């Protein structure tokens, strides 16, 4: 039902029916469900064959509210411009817009939606909408209250969309239309733990039946230097105790783009001491027995799977030894200690770290929460 048809009908009905008539003419895809008047109108119209219609949009098969100026059917189809004359813009209704699905395959329909942030529902229904699309034959679609439209993309690529609503110009979120698929098999770093000042390098393995044309590397932790299938960045002290990762966007000749999150790297700053180890004996049942360990403060333990900078305490002898064991006795067989390297030491055991002496710092990672104690003699 077109909006103009609704407006011709409304003067003949009462005030309570007026609300019902407007609800049947269009829906608010952004915030209408929060409007008490709008909700009341929907309740009044439940069970009526003319209350509201839905259309399936995009590749996800989800439903979207029908346009106020476009007739829809149970099967999704491309939206056409309304034949009605556009109302005069009032500059009242504004908001944002974007595709229901950010990525679709070429040949599929994309559903675009407007999300209102200013103006009310009825002003939106009356507002003129002009949609302008890149990458499609029907570049412009317009109609009053046209807050949802369906567009088919026949060619792969990244496309922008612009919307003029009630005279306000909006740049919508873009859409990626995929062509021949890209499969990213892995993106792995050269190390699982890095110290500040060391270089982390990720390498991606991607395949496609279309020639891969590029790799774009980014990270929220800093700049990534790209060299094709590899991306590198230098670990810094500000990354201490963080799991640092990067993303790579892989593109091919058919204009498909796939973004993949690489495996993280635990970064530590050797100069930042997280834990000064206790001096004593791990075999001292009164201090480190199985029933005592769960009662000790968390600050004495190395958290599971967390790279931690530990320091040998004052009073430790030269060439000292260290003993470690899990906080929970049931983790006994699961304990692995990575002491300043990627090589796992045995579980419950004593070992002699290289250069062990008072004040020496090490980077330690344990598979489960554990405590390490430096032998007093």
């Amino acid at each position: 039902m077109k909006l103009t048809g609704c407006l011709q009908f409304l003067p003949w009905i009462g005030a309570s029916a007026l609300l019902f008539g407007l609800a049947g003419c269009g829906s608010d895809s952004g915030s209408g469900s929060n409007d008490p008047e709008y909700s009341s109108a929907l309740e009044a119209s439940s069970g009526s064959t003319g209350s509201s219609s839905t259309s399936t949009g995009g590749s996800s098969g989800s439903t979207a509210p029908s346009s106020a100026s476009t007739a829809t059917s149970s099967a999704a189809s491309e939206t056409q411009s309304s034949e009605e004359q556009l109302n005069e813009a009032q500059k009242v209704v504004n908001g944002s817009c974007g595709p229901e699905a950010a990525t679709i395959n070429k040949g599929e329909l994309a559903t675009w939606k407007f999300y209102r942030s200013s103006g009310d529902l009825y002003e939106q229904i009356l507002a003129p909408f002009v949609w302008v699309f890149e990458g499609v034959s029907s570049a412009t679609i317009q109609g009053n209250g046209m807050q949802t439209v369906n567009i088919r993309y026949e060619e792969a690529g990244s496309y922008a969309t612009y919307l003029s609503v009630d005279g306000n110009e909006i740049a919508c979120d873009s859409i990626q239309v995929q062509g021949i698929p890209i499969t990213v098999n892995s993106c792995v770093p050269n190390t699982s733990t890095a110290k500040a000042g060391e270089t982390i390098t990720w390498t991606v393995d991607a395949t496609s039946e279309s020639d891969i044309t590029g790799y774009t590397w980014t990270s929220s932790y800093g700049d990534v230097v790209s060299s094709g299938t590899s991306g590198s960045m230098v670990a810094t002290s500000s990354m201490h105790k963080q799991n640092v990762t990067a993303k790579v966007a892989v593109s091919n000749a058919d204009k498909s783009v796939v973004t993949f999150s690489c495996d993280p790297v635990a970064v530590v700053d050797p100069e930042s001491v997280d834990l000064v180890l206790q001096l004593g004996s791990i075999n001292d049942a009164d201090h480190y027995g199985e029933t005592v360990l769960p009662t000790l403060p968390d600050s004495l333990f190395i958290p599971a799977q967390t790279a931690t900078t530990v320091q040998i305490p004052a009073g430790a002898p030269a060439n000292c030894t260290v003993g470690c064991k899990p906080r929970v006795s049931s983790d006994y067989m699961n304990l692995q200690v990575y002491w300043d390297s990627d090589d796992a030491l045995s579980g419950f055991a004593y070992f002699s770290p290289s250069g062990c002496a008072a004040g020496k710092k090490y980077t330690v990672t344990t598979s489960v929460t554990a405590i390490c104690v430096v032998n007093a003699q």
Side-chain angles (χ1 to χ4, degrees):
M1 179 182 294
K2 293 184 179 179
L3 182 61
T4 50
C6 293
L7 292 177
Q8 291 170 358
F9 174 73
L10 291 175
W12 297 93
I13 58 179
S16 60
L18 173 61
L19 191 58
F20 167 78
L22 284 174
C25 293
S27 61
D28 176 21
S29 58
S31 56
S33 60
N34 295 324
D35 280 318
E37 293 177 303
Y38 176 68
S39 299
S40 298
L42 288 181
E43 291 172 5
S45 63
S46 62
S48 172
T49 57
S51 59
S52 63
S53 60
T54 58
S55 61
T56 303
S59 59
S60 64
S62 58
T63 58
S66 61
S67 169
S69 57
T70 306
T72 57
S73 63
S74 57
S77 59
E78 286 191 83
T79 304
Q80 304 297 322
S81 286
S82 171
E83 296 179 359
E84 66 187 348
Q85 182 178 352
L86 291 181
N87 294 327
E88 183 178 351
Q90 302 298 317
K91 292 277 189 176
V92 174
V93 179
N94 209 339
S96 60
C97 51
E100 188 176 66
T103 301
I104 65 169
N105 296 318
K106 65 180 179 181
E108 293 180 342
L109 279 176
T111 297
W112 291 84
K113 293 184 177 182
F114 167 70
Y115 302 96
R116 174 170 50 88
S117 63
S118 64
D120 62 33
L121 171 62
Y122 308 110
E123 289 167 330
Q124 174 181 308
I125 292 174
L126 296 173
F129 281 69
V130 179
W131 295 85
V132 179
F133 300 95
E134 290 184 350
V136 295
S137 56
S138 301
T140 302
I141 296 177
Q142 63 185 33
N144 295 316
M146 189 179 281
Q147 81 277 1
T148 302
V149 295
N150 295 323
I151 298 296
R152 190 178 304 280
Y153 290 85
E154 301 292 352
E155 299 296 331
S158 179
Y159 300 111
T161 294
Y162 306 92
L163 172 62
S164 173
V165 55
D166 207 19
N168 293 307
E169 304 298 326
I170 306 171
C172 305
D173 295 337
S174 62
I175 191 169
Q176 172 63 39
V177 182
Q178 300 287 62
I180 295 175
I182 297 171
T183 300
V184 179
N185 302 306
S186 63
C187 183
V188 295
N190 59 334
T191 180
S192 61
T193 303
K195 296 179 181 179
E198 294 179 345
T199 298
I200 305 170
T201 300
W202 289 273
T203 301
V204 63
D205 175 25
T207 56
S208 176
E209 293 182 3
S210 175
D211 291 340
I212 293 179
T213 56
Y215 303 86
T216 302
W217 293 86
T218 57
S219 175
S220 59
Y221 295 92
D223 295 332
V224 182
V225 179
S226 174
S227 58
T229 58
S230 295
S232 301
M233 71 185 307
V234 177
T236 65
S237 58
S238 63
M239 301 175 187
H240 180 59
K241 297 194 75 174
Q242 297 188 60
N243 289 320
V244 176
T245 188
K247 290 184 177 181
V248 58
V250 185
S251 55
N252 67 12
D254 201 36
K255 298 183 180 179
S256 293
V257 179
V258 173
T259 300
F260 191 83
S261 294
C262 302
D263 293 347
V265 174
V267 175
V268 292
D269 178 7
E271 300 305 316
S272 300
V273 177
D274 299 312
L275 173 63
V276 177
L277 300 180
Q278 296 290 298
L279 194 63
S281 172
I282 196 69
N283 290 323
D284 184 349
D286 291 337
H287 291 87
Y288 307 110
E290 292 183 358
T291 58
V292 178
L293 287 178
T295 68
L296 297 179
D298 293 342
S299 58
L300 297 180
F301 294 86
I302 300 170
Q305 305 292 338
T306 303
T308 303
T309 303
V310 303
Q311 186 175 37
I312 304 300
N319 300 317
C320 46
T321 59
V322 177
C324 301
K325 66 179 179 181
R327 184 172 197 173
V328 180
S329 59
S330 59
D331 284 334
Y332 179 92
M333 300 301 295
N334 299 321
L335 175 64
Q336 288 185 310
V337 180
Y338 297 82
W339 194 279
D340 237 21
S341 73
D342 286 335
D343 299 325
L345 301 170
S346 59
F348 177 80
Y350 282 102
F351 50 96
S352 300
S354 174
C356 184
K360 186 69 181 287
K361 301 172 186 175
Y362 299 93
T363 300
V364 180
T365 305
T366 56
S367 57
V368 296
T369 299
I371 189 169
C372 293
V373 178
V374 179
N375 251 21
Q377 45 180 294

